[in-house]
Amino acid sequence: MTTPTVKVNSAWVAMGAKQPLTLQTVDLGPLEAEDVEIAVDHCGLCHSDLSVLNNEWGISRYPAILGHEVVGRISAVGPRAKGLKVGQRVGVGWTSSSCMYCQQCMSGSHHLCAQAQPTVIGHRGGFATHVRAHWAWAIPIPEALNPADAGPLMCGGTTVFSPLSLYAKPTDRVGIIGIGGLGHMAVQFAAAYGCEVTAFTSSAGKFDEAKGFGAHRVVASRDSAAINKLAGSFDLLISTVNVKLDWDALVGTLGPNGRLHVVGAVVEPIPVSSFALILQQRSISGSPAGSPTSIADMLEFAARHQVAPQTEHFPMSKINDAFARLASGKARYRIVLDADFD
């Protein structure tokens, strides 16, 4: 094991909300006893990074080093880290550590720990030469996955895989709302799981692409008449969008005991009639990314079924261009930054 006392790190840093990122030298200080250090090879650019950069949720802390879809090789291991070794390829997602002793951690729901540490809020993220995480949150990457494209699975992939693993059966009828960075992976996972998959998108240009990802049919998400024709059709709807929709119409597409599960960060309240829930025993739920075990399960499933994000690659030195591309809404479908530090 190696335990450096001081590590110099180059990172792209946001000094304030909506500010361009600048390349800076950052002293990481001593490596914590249960942490590992990872030399970053690739890091996905998630819409959550854009939200944190712009302080859309009101919880950002600056200066900020963003990037929470990291893939790289372990460069140092703390003396009390378990099961990992220098040179091993791992990934880090939305969470970089949790307390490891509360009821949630002890029962396997580490991502619900009250002390869970987001990788990009009050912690140095992966748009850097190195990133650190508690050993339990550094997840080995299966050999069958392409490491250059595996980063988006660490956050976006587990975000949509978790509700499928919790609430769906292979025989279920599943609807995916939004065919973007999250939704295009959700369609692939649901189809590989064996579900009958319907994709909802506001973009006519994505109809054929959604079918290419495995959707059995595609519906315009803003066509209330078309949505109403699907009344009682679904066992599970997964909403990946962050915009206002005809929520009552969408809830109406659920069959008895159907569930609308929200993973897209909609800032505005979701108005739904109570009777739409009560009379058919429907429910609405939500979830964050996932626990270390659920991330590892998702990666194994993705490797086995060849589920992969569709990506666009930028050198990390073009990080501000990559953020502009993401903000434009034109990315197909996830952006990955490849480390090119000197």
Side-chain angles (χ1 to χ4, degrees):
M1 296 183 183
T2 58
T3 311
T5 56
V6 176
K7 186 76 177 185
V8 175
N9 182 50
S10 294
W12 289 91
V13 182
M15 299 305 295
K18 302 181 181 180
Q19 296 296 310
L21 282 69
T22 57
L23 185 61
Q24 299 183 25
T25 297
V26 180
D27 183 357
L28 294 182
L31 181 65
E32 296 292 333
E34 295 190 8
D35 282 0
V36 296
E37 182 178 272
I38 300 152
V40 177
D41 293 323
H42 313 279
C43 190
L45 174 55
C46 178
H47 200 279
S48 296
D49 291 308
L50 182 63
S51 295
V52 175
L53 174 63
N54 294 336
N55 199 21
E56 293 175 2
W57 303 333
I59 58 174
S60 301
R61 294 167 59 182
Y62 306 99
I65 301 174
L66 306 174
H68 61 276
E69 295 181 336
V70 182
V71 172
R73 291 191 180 272
I74 293 178
S75 55
V77 178
R80 294 206 297 271
K82 310 295 184 184
L84 299 172
K85 59 184 179 181
V86 170
Q88 187 172 3
R89 180 175 283 127
V90 296
V92 176
W94 176 255
T95 305
S96 60
S97 68
S98 55
C99 77
M100 305 305 291
Y101 62 82
C102 71
Q103 182 179 16
Q104 299 303 326
C105 286
M106 295 297 287
S107 61
S109 296
H110 306 67
H111 61 305
L112 303 181
C113 172
Q115 298 182 54
Q117 173 61 63
T119 303
V120 296
I121 302 171
H123 182 272
R124 299 182 178 100
F127 296 148
T129 55
H130 298 82
V131 66
R132 291 176 177 177
H134 187 277
W135 62 265
W137 288 95
I139 315 299
I141 303 294
E143 290 292 331
L145 289 177
N146 177 3
D149 288 331
L153 292 171
M154 298 304 303
C155 177
T158 194
T159 295
V160 295
F161 181 82
S162 292
L164 285 168
S165 64
L166 286 170
Y167 303 121
K169 303 186 298 296
T171 55
D172 279 352
R173 304 157 299 167
V174 174
I176 306 299
I177 305 170
I179 306 303
L182 291 174
H184 87 288
M185 288 188 283
V187 169
Q188 293 181 70
F189 277 125
Y193 194 39
C195 301
E196 180 188 271
V197 185
T198 298
F200 292 84
T201 177
S202 61
S203 174
K206 293 182 178 179
F207 275 46
D208 288 341
E209 291 179 72
K211 290 180 179 178
F213 293 128
H216 298 91
R217 62 180 170 183
V218 186
V219 177
S221 60
R222 298 191 181 280
D223 186 343
S224 295
I227 294 172
N228 287 329
K229 291 179 181 179
L230 299 173
S233 295
F234 299 109
D235 301 295
L236 175 65
L237 284 177
I238 299 176
S239 176
T240 70
V241 301
N242 61 355
V243 296
K244 183 188 297 185
L245 294 173
D246 188 343
W247 296 107
D248 270 328
L250 288 166
V251 169
T253 68
L254 296 172
N257 294 307
R259 177 184 296 268
L260 168 62
H261 191 84
V262 179
V263 296
V266 185
V267 177
E268 297 181 359
I270 298 176
V272 175
S273 165
S274 61
F275 281 103
L277 302 178
I278 293 169
L279 297 179
Q280 291 293 301
Q281 202 165 294
R282 297 161 172 153
S283 58
I284 298 176
S285 56
S287 62
S291 69
T293 299
S294 65
I295 296 171
D297 288 345
M298 176 275 303
L299 290 174
E300 291 294 340
F301 186 96
R304 186 179 308 137
H305 294 281
Q306 299 181 320
V307 174
Q310 182 174 314
T311 60
E312 299 178 358
H313 284 256
F314 286 72
M316 201 170 289
S317 57
K318 299 293 184 182
I319 191 169
N320 289 306
D321 293 341
F323 267 96
R325 174 73 171 171
L326 178 63
S328 75
K330 297 178 180 178
R332 286 290 195 278
Y333 278 90
R334 303 289 291 203
I335 292 174
V336 175
L337 298 174
D338 303 317
D340 63 342
F341 297 95
D342 293 330

